């Protein structure tokens, strides 16, 4: 049976190590942080990921999975070494590859048998070629070392499932032996139907960043449409539903709102822009700069509207903001480049009182934004709040009692920046419910809609009586509301 080392035991590495043990391999996880290695050795996962603590602790108890800090030990132990270290952004947006090189420098000179090194970290295209040259310099005489690239496609909150049941496996290889070894590692999911794409190293590297850039583009596209919906009185949620029925488009990642964040999409979009520039092909991905700009603009939109609601007689805001959510997405405590936390920090910097509640991310959020006040419950966060912001789409927030919270809050304004709350119970409880690019109808049937604006270059006007009737119909907001209600009832 092949033995496996997983080097770097952060979010990706710890999950991958537990997954490899679940697939039946003896696994050694290695990290340069002794405290992290010690915690994992006790079966403790230092971050929030559903299902992972049980999986990891179970295999630690059986001895199939263990953790340490020695790359020399890993070199003597494993036949296959998975590289799962971070590639954080540098000041220019390009990926910092120093951790990968440090691992190779500490691992390869101590290898005692032929082996396969497999990169899982997200890297710029061309990295594997440079690492191959470095391995050739460091490998002991008589030791054959192959390098492969096997990018990860984990979704935070679903990482255990995605490791054990991947929706695709990408093997970037340079030899049949490397492909054979990876097929042995993943024999169980392959037998269960996971498709395999075998390709060269540059393609494997580019697949991951391309996937994330495409997902980011979908999110920014629907958010750009949300901005247009706000101007025209259209409803972005119904627009996205209609687009999603087209199987060439799909409904996933068409949720308009506050935009994307986390440790992957923002970093990978900017790294791809930087790498394309290094290759002299920057103009090919210029559109990604707009994708990034649209995403950041969504945060500014929420901050601006909140400050407008809080504006006092002077220049600074007067009032309190209750924030629901700090993590960049639900089922995670990850606050890296979190839109929710960014909005909260900006409001605090502008002078607002800000109190935050998150079901899982309070600790990580407090570590990087200690200037905010953190509450133990949603009700405590909303106590005497003038404005409430729904910034992370946790299921718990959809289950809150708007009637009770209306008695707790002071101002009664809520901005659903994720477009996932049902407006009806909030409106019925007396809330002033606002959303991004979404029509919100009050219990009386009237709608809070930005008035329709005339197009910049109108087409030919209807003639005579038809033209007058068209003008009256557009001017009659009540008729417009009744028409929209009939359309919805028959949908």
């Amino acid at each position: 049976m092949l033995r496996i080392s997983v080097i770097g035991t952060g979010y990706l590495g710890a999950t991958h190590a537990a997954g490899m043990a679940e697939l039946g391999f003896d696994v050694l996880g290695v990290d340069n942080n002794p405290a992290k290695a010690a915690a994992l050795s006790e079966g403790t996962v230092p971050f929030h990921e559903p299902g992972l603590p049980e999986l990891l602790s179970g295999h630690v108890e059986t001895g199939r999975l263990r953790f340490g800090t020695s790359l020399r030990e890993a070199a003597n132990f494993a036949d296959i070494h998975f590289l799962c270290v971070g590639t954080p952004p540098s000041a220019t947006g390009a990926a910092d590859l120093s951790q990968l090189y440090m691992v190779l420098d500490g691992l390869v000179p101590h290898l005692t048998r032929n082996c396969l090194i497999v990169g899982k970290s997200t890297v710029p295209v061309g990295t594997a070629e440079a690492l191959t040259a470095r391995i050739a310099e460091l490998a002991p005489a008589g030791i054959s070392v192959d390098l492969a690239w096997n990018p990860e496609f984990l979704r935070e909150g679903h990482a255990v499932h995605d490791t054990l049941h991947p929706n695709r496996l990408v093997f970037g290889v340079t030899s049949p032996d490397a492909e054979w070894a990876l097929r042995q590692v993943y024999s169980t999911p392959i037998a269960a139907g996971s498709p395999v794409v075998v390709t060269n190293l540059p393609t494997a590297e580019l697949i991951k960043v391309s996937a994330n850039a495409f997902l980011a583009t979908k999110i920014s596209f629907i958010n750009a449409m949300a901005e247009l919906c706000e101007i025209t009185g259209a409803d972005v949620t119904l627009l996205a539903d209609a687009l999603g029925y087209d199987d060439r488009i799909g409904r996933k990642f068409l949720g308009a709102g506050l935009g994307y964040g986390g440790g992957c999409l923002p970093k990978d979009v900017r790294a791809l822009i930087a790498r394309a520039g290094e290759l002299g092909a920057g103009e090919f991905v210029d559109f990604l700069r707009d994708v990034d700009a649209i995403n950041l603009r969504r945060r500014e939109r929420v901050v601006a509207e909140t400050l407008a609601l809080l504006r006092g007689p002077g220049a600074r805001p007067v009032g309190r903001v209750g924030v629901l959510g700090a993590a960049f997405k639900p089922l995670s405590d990850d606050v890296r480049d979190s839109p929710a936390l960014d909005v909260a920090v900006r409001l605090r910097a502008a002078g607002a009182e800000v109190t935050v509640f998150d079901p899982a991310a309070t600790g990580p959020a407090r570590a990087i934004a200690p200037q905010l006040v953190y509450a133990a419950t949603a009700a405590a966060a909303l106590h005497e709040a003038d404005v409430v912001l729904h910034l992370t789409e946790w299921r718990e927030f959809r289950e809150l009692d708007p009637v009770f919270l209306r008695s707790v809050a002071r101002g009664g304004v809520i901005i659903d920046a994720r477009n996932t709350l049902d407006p009806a119970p909030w409106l019925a409880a007396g809330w002033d419910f606002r959303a991004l690019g979404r029509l919100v109808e009050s219990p009386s049937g009237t709608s809070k809609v930005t008035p329709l604006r005339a197009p910049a270059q109108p087409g030919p006007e209807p003639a005579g009586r038809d033209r007058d009737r068209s003008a009256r119909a557009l001017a009659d907001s009540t008729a417009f509301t009744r028409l929209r209600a009939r359309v919805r009832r028959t949908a």
Side-chain angles (χ1 to χ4, degrees):
M1 174 69 72
L2 295 169
R3 295 195 295 183
I4 290 174
S5 81
V6 177
I7 303 171
T9 58
Y11 180 84
L12 166 62
T15 305
H16 190 67
M20 294 297 98
E22 179 70 7
L23 293 178
F25 299 97
D26 289 332
V27 182
L28 170 64
V30 179
D31 202 281
N32 62 0
N33 184 330
K36 185 189 298 183
L40 292 168
S41 295
E42 295 295 323
T44 301
V45 178
F47 52 85
H48 181 80
E49 179 59 38
L52 182 58
E54 298 82 1
L55 186 69
L56 185 141
S57 61
H59 290 299
V60 167
E61 289 176 5
T62 65
R64 178 170 287 171
L65 173 60
R66 58 193 178 90
F67 295 89
T69 60
S70 173
L71 289 172
R72 184 188 292 267
E73 181 183 6
N76 289 324
F77 170 80
D79 305 292
I80 300 178
H81 305 275
F82 284 95
L83 307 183
C84 298
V85 298
T87 54
S90 66
T92 64
D96 179 354
L97 306 177
S98 59
Q99 294 183 55
L100 282 172
Y101 282 96
M102 284 191 291
V103 168
L104 293 185
D105 289 350
L107 174 73
V108 176
H110 303 297
L111 294 172
T112 57
R113 61 168 71 84
N114 296 342
C115 67
L116 175 65
I117 296 176
V118 185
K120 290 197 73 68
S121 305
T122 304
V123 296
V125 61
T127 299
E129 181 181 2
L131 295 180
T132 298
R134 184 64 176 158
I135 290 169
E137 295 175 5
L138 297 172
I143 298 297
S144 175
V145 185
D146 268 350
L147 178 68
W149 221 262
N150 169 223
E152 56 87 13
F153 302 98
L154 304 185
R155 298 168 299 160
E156 292 196 38
H158 306 276
V160 171
H161 177 273
D162 292 347
T163 298
L164 300 177
H165 308 281
N167 61 13
R168 80 276 210 192
L169 290 161
V170 175
F171 299 159
V173 296
T174 59
S175 71
D177 289 344
E179 180 186 346
W180 175 87
L182 287 172
R183 287 186 178 274
Q184 298 306 302
V185 169
Y186 292 107
S187 59
T188 299
I190 290 173
S194 293
V196 178
V197 177
V198 180
T199 184
N200 60 11
L201 293 172
T203 305
E205 293 169 316
L206 199 53
I207 285 171
K208 175 59 189 294
V209 293
S210 299
N212 281 349
F214 184 79
L215 295 176
T217 300
K218 284 191 73 172
I219 295 170
S220 284
F221 170 82
I222 199 63
N223 279 327
M225 293 302 100
E227 294 177 358
L228 189 58
C229 286
E230 290 176 3
I231 294 172
T232 61
D235 188 323
V236 74
T237 58
L238 298 178
L239 171 66
D241 288 343
L243 292 176
Y245 284 119
D246 188 331
D247 59 11
R248 297 168 301 175
I249 298 174
R251 185 59 173 85
K252 292 182 178 179
F253 283 76
L254 285 182
L258 192 55
Y260 59 80
C264 292
L265 265 63
K267 173 180 75 74
D268 292 349
V269 167
R270 294 161 197 164
L272 183 54
I273 293 170
R275 182 57 176 154
E278 293 169 355
L279 295 171
E283 69 273 17
F284 300 161
V285 296
D286 266 350
F287 72 95
L288 291 178
R289 300 183 191 277
D290 292 329
V291 167
D292 198 29
I294 291 168
N295 190 60
L296 294 176
R297 192 163 68 233
R298 300 307 283 169
R299 308 179 189 188
E300 296 165 1
R301 166 82 168 79
V302 174
V303 170
E305 180 162 344
T306 305
L307 291 177
L309 290 166
L310 295 176
R311 192 69 65 195
R316 292 180 66 78
V318 177
R320 180 172 296 175
V321 180
V323 173
L324 297 174
F328 89 95
K329 64 176 292 186
L331 299 177
S332 173
D333 63 351
D334 193 346
V335 295
R336 291 175 295 174
D337 203 356
S338 167
L341 196 59
D342 184 33
V343 167
V345 168
R346 292 193 197 192
L347 290 171
R348 176 67 180 84
E353 299 179 49
V354 182
T355 304
V356 179
F357 169 70
D358 190 282
T362 295
R366 182 182 281 117
I368 65 172
Q371 67 271 39
L372 301 175
V373 176
Y374 295 91
T377 65
L382 272 56
H383 180 63
E384 295 189 350
D386 298 289
V387 179
V388 174
L389 302 181
H390 174 234
L391 303 184
T392 307
E393 60 271 37
W394 284 93
R395 183 189 65 189
E396 289 91 329
F397 297 155
R398 296 197 297 273
E399 298 171 350
L400 292 172
D401 181 359
V403 174
F404 169 69
L405 294 177
R406 185 65 191 89
S407 69
V408 170
R410 180 168 55 201
V413 179
I414 180 168
I415 299 175
D416 179 12
R418 290 298 184 179
N419 280 335
T420 56
L421 299 179
D422 179 2
W426 294 85
L427 291 166
W431 287 87
D432 178 358
F433 190 100
R434 306 184 182 202
L436 302 183
R438 181 183 183 187
L439 291 178
V440 178
E441 294 191 4
S442 71
S444 64
T446 59
S447 299
K448 294 163 58 177
V449 183
T450 304
L452 291 173
R453 297 184 180 181
Q457 295 180 337
E461 292 186 353
R465 187 176 303 170
D466 290 340
R467 178 184 59 203
D468 296 338
R469 186 163 51 246
S470 298
R472 286 196 302 272
L474 284 175
D476 186 351
S477 60
T478 303
F480 181 72
T481 299
R482 288 198 301 269
L483 174 61
R484 183 172 59 251
R486 288 201 304 274
V487 170
R488 286 187 171 181
R489 284 197 298 270
T490 59

